Amino acid sequence: MSSTASNRNATIPHGADSGSRTRELPVRTYSPEPLLGHPLTLVKNIAKDLMAGRELAWRLFVRDLSAQYRQTFFGYIWAFLPPLVASMTFIFLDSQGIVKVDTGGVPYPAFAMMGTLLWQVFVDSITSSPAALGGAKSMLTKINFPREAILMAGLYMVLFNFMIRMVLLSAVMIYWNVTPSATVMFFPVAMAALMTAGFAIGLTLTPISGFYGDVTRAIPMAASFGMLLTPVVYPARTEGIAGWLAVWNPISPLIISARQSLTGHELTHLPAFFLILICALVVSFVGLVGFRIAMPHLIARMGG
């Protein structure tokens, strides 16, 4: 059974020669009552820890960023090499006439690269939370700090990689003369929805990944297969199994809308887009509560 934790402030002297000067430090009191027994207090404490963990999240992000690219020859190029290589396969097949894809006037290399770059942002959002938890295990068992900080650090990394990929995305659009229209104003909303959906899935998987490392290993394989089931390198179909998937695959409207906002096409999936965005926000909140409840059990299993 999980326990509740409440915060109050303690006053301590601020330096030996400070006289009457004091500063306040938060004191956390643990009780055996279940966390879900006081939902408002639980949500309030989560919000407090999110605010309190901002600086630590930034420090963790800087540390992880340095470690990720420190011993590589290509450095930050690795941020967009995986989606670039993935799109090359389909570009080769299309150039050889093995597959023919009608992209509605958009050059297929640009169409495929935009799709794979968007898909990679979604996959990064899924893996950020489980990877951040795995990387912080040693710290979790030794130091008491706002646990939500490791989730924010993972999101910072997703945003950083996304900004790097935006450079490649801009180069692709310029090289193949893809001219955006007013719909490009919707692109930030589309990317926020794509990241939120990925974060919601990743957050749901994070407690399980803390118990079983298989989850973290399975995500890249599932993502590779999922890319083929989503209109990433081909337009959404209207018939057959691909047409059914385009309607019921929850990621399809997000990918389609994000790409349409770049290519200047009419945004044809907005109702489904906003419905999925709302669902992703709800799942993210529930996942955040589940993460909070699961952390004491995870830390106990880790040996903390």
Side-chain angles (χ1 to χ4, degrees):
M1 182 177 289
S2 303
S3 60
T4 56
S6 59
N7 296 320
R8 59 187 177 84
N9 292 329
T11 304
I12 64 172
H14 185 69
D17 57 347
S18 58
S20 61
R21 285 194 305 155
T22 59
R23 63 191 177 95
E24 293 184 340
L25 289 177
V27 174
R28 175 164 296 183
T29 304
Y30 293 92
S31 77
E33 297 179 34
L35 290 171
L36 289 177
H38 303 276
L40 291 179
T41 303
L42 175 61
V43 173
K44 186 179 176 182
N45 287 337
I46 291 175
K48 277 186 177 178
D49 282 351
L50 284 172
M51 293 296 293
R54 289 174 301 169
E55 184 174 348
L56 176 60
W58 176 257
R59 297 291 181 186
L60 292 174
F61 159 68
V62 173
R63 181 203 65 175
D64 294 342
L65 180 65
S66 176
Q68 183 171 337
Y69 295 111
R70 184 188 308 160
Q71 295 182 343
T72 61
F73 178 76
F74 291 109
Y76 297 123
I77 296 176
W78 280 109
F80 53 77
L81 268 184
L84 192 64
V85 172
S87 64
M88 287 298 178
T89 304
F90 298 96
I91 292 172
F92 173 76
L93 295 175
D94 181 76
S95 65
Q96 298 302 307
I98 299 174
V99 295
K100 275 298 175 187
V101 180
D102 180 10
T103 58
V106 179
Y108 184 72
F111 185 92
M113 285 187 185
M114 283 191 286
T116 52
L117 286 168
L118 297 174
W119 179 258
Q120 192 61 44
V121 172
F122 170 68
V123 175
D124 283 355
S125 303
I126 295 177
T127 57
S128 66
S129 298
L133 177 64
K137 278 184 177 179
S138 60
M139 193 168 65
L140 285 167
T141 58
K142 297 173 183 174
I143 307 173
N144 186 18
F145 64 95
R147 315 305 188 195
E148 288 77 7
I150 61 176
L151 302 179
M152 288 192 287
L155 281 178
Y156 288 162
M157 184 66 75
V158 173
L159 289 171
F160 178 80
N161 287 330
F162 167 66
M163 295 305 293
I164 293 179
R165 290 178 185 127
M166 280 298 296
V167 177
L168 177 63
L169 194 60
S170 301
V172 166
M173 294 178 67
I174 293 172
Y175 184 80
W176 275 283
N177 198 27
V178 178
T179 305
S181 66
T183 57
V184 75
M185 302 293 290
F186 187 74
F187 182 68
V189 180
M191 292 311 301
L194 202 56
M195 291 181 195
T196 303
F199 180 70
I201 297 172
L203 198 53
T204 305
L205 296 174
T206 298
I208 306 173
S209 72
F211 289 112
Y212 305 103
D214 312 71
V215 174
T216 307
R217 296 176 183 275
I219 289 176
M221 290 190 293
S224 299
F225 185 62
M227 190 181 83
L228 299 177
L229 302 180
T230 309
V232 174
V233 293
Y234 56 84
R237 303 290 182 176
T238 57
E239 298 177 347
I241 296 177
W244 184 85
L245 286 172
V247 174
W248 294 105
N249 183 342
I251 309 305
S252 294
L254 306 182
I255 291 286
I256 293 170
S257 298
R259 186 163 47 202
Q260 286 176 335
S261 68
L262 290 174
T263 57
H265 286 86
E266 181 184 358
L267 303 173
T268 55
H269 291 70
L270 285 184
F273 175 91
F274 284 110
L275 177 61
I276 293 166
L277 173 58
I278 293 171
C279 291
L281 288 171
V282 172
V283 174
S284 295
F285 175 74
V286 174
L288 200 56
V289 173
F291 174 81
R292 181 84 172 197
I293 294 172
M295 282 311 294
H297 302 283
L298 286 174
I299 294 173
R301 185 187 174 97
M302 293 172 193

